Amino acid sequence: MLAGSGVAGAAGDASRFSDEPGPYLGDDELPKLTPPIVELGGKFLGPGNIPHGVLLPGGAVWQPQFWVYGTFRSALQSFDNDLGTGRSELVSRLDLFGNLQLSGSERVLIGIRPLNDGAQFTGWQYDPDRQDPFEDHTNADITTLFFEGDFGELFPALDPTDRHDLDIGFSVGRQQITFQDGFLINDRLDAIGLTRNNLRFPSMDWLNNLRVTVLYAWDEIDRDDNAPDDGARLYALFTQWDTVFGNQFSTTVDLDLALVDGSQGRGDLIAGGISAVQRLGLVNTTFRFLFSNDIGSDGTGLASSDDGQLFFTEWSITPYHTHNLLYANAFYGQDNFSSAARDPLAGGPLGRTGITFAARGIGAFPAPLGNRTDDAWGVALGYQMFWNRNRTQLIVETGRRGQHTVSDNDASAISFRLQQAVGRRVLLQFGGFLGAADTGPDQQGLRAELVVKL
């Protein structure tokens, strides 16, 4: 293995890889693996010979391996505002997975979250009206269970020369589904999906690759209000286009559409989005447009299903002589765009804007400026710094949000998040914010979190 020397180029640019090859690294010099907590049948990404495995009737060869891994999080956090309705809490979350790897393309994944039930977490909650601070939300519910594979790899004997279009990926079961970076869908669904990748057309030389996915979900669907909709069904078509125009410009375009057949009183919804991700010179850019149309409640504007449009953009650049990141993100919402599906821990669709808008995924700690669309506009400007061999990271961000249908209702906030790696599995995180509204209450919050990679 050749390793880059990490020495800056002739111009002294620390963010540029050297043109000179590094020395050969022997096995003793390679970084040591950090194994999962359980390894059966073979090491995760470990060296050595591949076992012969088991030959299946369809011609596939499986080499079963089982790994258990996960993430434990424990957060001490407190927030307050001028109304005195804040809260302090010490809560925990455990995401634990068992991965049965059958081959390079087939696996079964099972997962549990034993310390939280939806948005309710096991731990201590302190507020002025609470008598017993401890809440127990332990459970043994299965939150993830699916099988995924590739039809052509499962039955290679049907196409031994690999000339036919049998390489169709699929997954079935309870699984995390995320499209349009979580704006359109960000939820764990009982679903089946089929994907055809690497589609190319000789007459379209500008198209490098087309991926098409169809999805059907029949259960575990949470609507835009982060609440479950028992009996809802979701149908979706997702496409991704990798394009290149000459030698100067290339972009990845996602064009997605979803239909939700909601239960009585929750509304039906059609929602979609188009996005383009590319580099413009030295600047990384994303442009995104999403829409939703309530088609089942006579335009009454349900919390789970409403009309709206959302424009969103991201810009970032790495300043010269650094590994840091300067970014600016902005959105403009018309009416109330509704996602097709949102997990109880995902918050609203605008969390992607920055840490000033994002849900934390643990406890009741709020997003300083909120992440719902609601005729809103907003902007976030941040700087992400790395040092100590990238084991220390600091983000400082400021944001502002307003509503173009309500005057004098703007709010601003400044946030920070400091992360420090400890050893090979532990991450310490500290964060906080100060928020000020033009007419509403000011608010502030502080938090500390321990993250352990199992």
Side-chain angles (χ1 to χ4, degrees):
M1 175 180 290
L2 291 176
S5 64
V7 179
D13 186 353
S15 63
R16 181 180 182 275
F17 286 110
S18 172
D19 295 328
E20 298 297 326
Y24 177 83
L25 297 181
D27 292 341
D28 295 338
E29 299 175 275
L30 292 174
K32 293 183 179 180
L33 296 175
T34 302
I37 55 178
V38 174
E39 283 184 317
L40 299 177
K43 293 184 177 181
F44 177 65
L45 299 179
N49 296 327
I50 298 175
H52 291 289
V54 179
L55 178 63
L56 301 184
V61 177
W62 282 1
Q63 299 106 358
Q65 303 172 78
F66 184 69
W67 307 313
V68 176
Y69 61 92
T71 302
F72 172 77
R73 301 173 61 187
S74 186
L76 175 63
Q77 47 199 21
S78 179
F79 60 93
D80 198 2
N81 54 44
D82 290 345
L83 301 178
T85 57
R87 178 186 296 183
S88 298
E89 59 185 5
L90 174 60
V91 290
S92 297
R93 169 177 173 174
L94 174 62
D95 294 71
L96 195 62
F97 298 96
N99 185 96
L100 177 59
Q101 195 73 32
L102 301 172
S103 70
S105 56
E106 281 73 44
R107 67 167 179 160
V108 178
L109 184 69
I110 184 171
I112 58 175
R113 291 179 181 171
L115 299 182
N116 72 287
D117 183 9
Q120 304 298 317
F121 291 83
T122 299
W124 288 263
Q125 305 276 354
Y126 301 95
D127 61 54
D129 300 325
R130 186 179 297 270
Q131 300 297 323
D132 183 7
F134 183 73
E135 292 188 6
D136 183 5
H137 296 285
T138 57
N139 64 88
D141 297 340
I142 295 176
T143 55
T144 300
L145 179 58
F146 67 89
F147 174 78
E148 69 176 352
D150 185 286
F151 186 80
E153 297 298 326
L154 269 177
F155 304 101
L158 297 177
D159 186 18
T161 58
D162 202 22
R163 294 184 177 182
H164 304 294
D165 295 331
L166 299 183
D167 294 323
I168 300 175
F170 67 92
S171 62
V172 57
R174 186 166 300 171
Q175 53 197 297
Q176 178 67 37
I177 304 295
T178 303
F179 279 94
Q180 288 288 336
D181 266 345
F183 283 88
L184 184 61
I185 297 177
N186 184 4
D187 200 5
R188 289 176 298 110
L189 306 174
D190 286 349
I192 180 171
L194 301 176
T195 297
R196 182 69 173 91
N197 210 339
N198 297 323
L199 291 171
R200 301 191 66 184
F201 305 93
S203 61
M204 303 169 66
D205 57 359
W206 52 270
L207 180 61
N208 278 349
N209 173 57
L210 169 63
R211 185 209 69 211
V212 178
T213 299
V214 293
L215 180 80
Y216 167 64
W218 63 87
D219 201 5
E220 294 292 310
I221 299 171
D222 301 290
R223 302 299 296 276
D224 187 67
D225 54 2
N226 305 112
D229 186 358
D230 296 332
R233 302 290 185 268
L234 186 148
Y235 311 85
L237 173 65
F238 309 111
T239 65
Q240 185 174 81
W241 311 65
D242 294 324
T243 66
V244 59
F245 300 94
N247 296 321
Q248 302 299 321
F249 180 73
S250 61
T251 182
T252 297
V253 178
D254 288 69
L255 181 60
D256 305 317
L257 188 66
L259 171 66
V260 182
D261 181 8
S263 60
Q264 184 69 29
R266 300 300 299 276
D268 301 335
L269 183 77
I270 184 169
I274 182 171
S275 64
V277 180
Q278 58 280 306
R279 286 179 66 92
L280 301 178
L282 299 177
V283 182
N284 309 300
T285 61
T286 299
F287 303 100
R288 199 179 304 275
F289 168 74
L290 301 108
F291 75 92
S292 65
N293 186 15
D294 172 19
I295 57 177
S297 61
D298 300 323
T300 54
L302 298 173
S304 57
S305 178
D306 204 352
D307 299 340
Q309 300 83 43
L310 178 63
F311 301 88
F312 181 83
T313 185
E314 295 175 291
W315 298 70
S316 65
I317 188 172
T318 297
Y320 283 113
H321 311 298
T322 75
H323 296 286
N324 301 334
L325 191 72
L326 174 66
Y327 63 89
N329 306 328
F331 64 86
Y332 182 93
Q334 184 69 39
D335 297 324
N336 186 28
F337 165 75
S338 299
S339 300
R342 299 205 65 78
D343 187 272
L345 303 181
L350 296 176
R352 177 74 181 178
T353 310
I355 61 174
T356 310
F357 296 83
R360 299 300 185 265
I362 181 172
F365 198 82
L369 292 182
N371 43 44
R372 299 290 173 180
T373 52
D374 299 332
D375 274 313
W377 60 268
V379 61
L381 177 65
Y383 194 69
Q384 184 179 33
M385 294 167 277
F386 300 90
W387 63 91
N388 189 23
R389 297 185 178 181
N390 294 336
R391 292 175 61 83
T392 306
Q393 175 200 104
L394 175 64
I395 298 177
V396 178
E397 179 183 293
T398 183
R400 187 163 178 83
R401 173 191 169 105
Q403 286 185 287
H404 39 267
T405 58
V406 180
S407 60
D408 300 326
N409 195 34
D410 298 354
S412 301
I414 184 170
S415 305
F416 80 94
R417 186 178 70 190
L418 174 66
Q419 296 188 131
Q420 175 63 54
V422 179
R424 301 171 67 90
R425 296 183 183 270
V426 176
L427 180 71
L428 298 179
Q429 186 181 110
F430 306 92
F433 70 90
L434 290 173
D438 291 351
T439 58
D442 296 341
Q443 57 178 339
Q444 53 277 326
L446 284 173
R447 66 189 307 272
E449 182 173 337
L450 168 71
V451 182
V452 181
K453 299 292 185 177
L454 304 174

